[in-house]
Amino acid sequence: MALGYVRPARPEDAGEIARIQLATWRVAYRRILPRHVLENLDEAWLARRWTAAVQEPPSAAHRVLVAVEQAEQSYLVGFTAFGPADAEALAPNEPAEALGADVAAVTDLLVEPRWGRRGHGSRLLAASVDLWRSDGFASAVAWAFDGDEATRKFLTSTGWAADGAARALDVEDMLVPQLRLHVALPAEPAPTPPAPAAPVD
């Protein structure tokens, strides 16, 4: 029986995070991004970036989480990264104040395709929501490629919706459209009051 859980990323995870990112992009984005761009991505360069993201985050609210599948052995199978919404989360010509200080921005949410449909994406998202609440965020945003139906379907199935913002990334002179999704964090359920003590006869 396989078990899955989520934990904060460690510096020694950076190589596996880079490998997962590269493997996932080459499958999920093969019809979205130019082939030569995907083929020329440097795994070692990505690993160095993830090492820095884990070891030297810009703030305490910038976090990287990893999903682990645990059977006879443990495998890193996915990850997410997020932080306070900044200029990268804005749409073109959108004023800086459009996204307030209480908005989190997801920059990455990936599960390696061979480990898909095993609950890892949902666990990553649930763990993120818990941390967003503890960090004082009230909502979150994420950009998704317009052609990335799997990511859009996953997020909308969990309550996210397009907020009307759109942009196009210039990738090697090819404009790749993206749309922004957002979600308001659900209110935490009220704690269940303790049951009254049974009368003693």
Side-chain angles (χ1 to χ4, degrees):
M1 177 180 174
L3 300 173
Y5 63 91
V6 172
R7 62 167 172 79
R10 304 164 184 155
E12 60 267 28
D13 296 327
E16 270 297 278
I17 293 173
R19 184 195 63 75
I20 291 167
Q21 182 177 14
L22 201 54
T24 305
W25 279 25
R26 284 176 174 167
V27 172
Y29 300 158
R30 66 185 185 277
R31 293 187 178 89
I32 298 173
L33 299 177
R35 180 177 177 179
H36 69 278
V37 170
L38 294 173
E39 289 178 347
N40 292 332
L41 286 170
D42 184 344
E43 190 170 328
W45 177 78
L46 290 173
R48 288 193 295 272
R49 293 192 67 189
W50 285 115
T51 299
V54 173
Q55 288 185 321
E56 303 169 3
S59 76
H62 285 80
R63 303 176 189 264
V64 182
L65 306 178
V66 294
V68 179
E69 170 124 348
Q70 186 175 29
E72 293 181 2
Q73 290 182 294
S74 294
Y75 304 92
L76 228 64
V77 298
F79 69 95
T80 188
F82 55 82
D86 58 13
E88 293 298 315
L90 296 171
N93 303 316
E94 192 172 34
E97 63 274 12
L99 299 176
D102 63 347
V103 180
V106 179
T107 55
D108 296 272
L109 177 59
L110 297 173
V111 174
E112 193 173 357
R114 62 184 170 139
W115 298 104
R117 300 186 180 278
R118 297 169 72 87
H120 296 298
S122 297
R123 280 188 285 272
L124 284 167
L125 206 50
S128 300
V129 169
D130 289 343
L131 289 168
W132 294 338
R133 283 202 189 101
S134 68
D135 288 337
F137 295 116
S139 62
V141 297
W143 287 97
F145 288 116
D146 193 45
D148 184 2
E149 185 177 344
T151 296
R152 291 190 292 109
K153 186 176 179 179
F154 169 69
L155 289 176
T156 54
S157 74
T158 60
W160 293 63
D163 67 1
R167 68 185 183 187
L169 296 186
D170 187 347
V171 183
E172 298 284 331
D173 295 326
M174 175 180 173
L175 293 179
V176 185
Q178 289 187 311
L179 55 84
R180 192 172 66 196
L181 296 101
H182 73 123
V183 70
L185 299 192
E188 289 190 88
T192 304
V200 178
D201 291 333

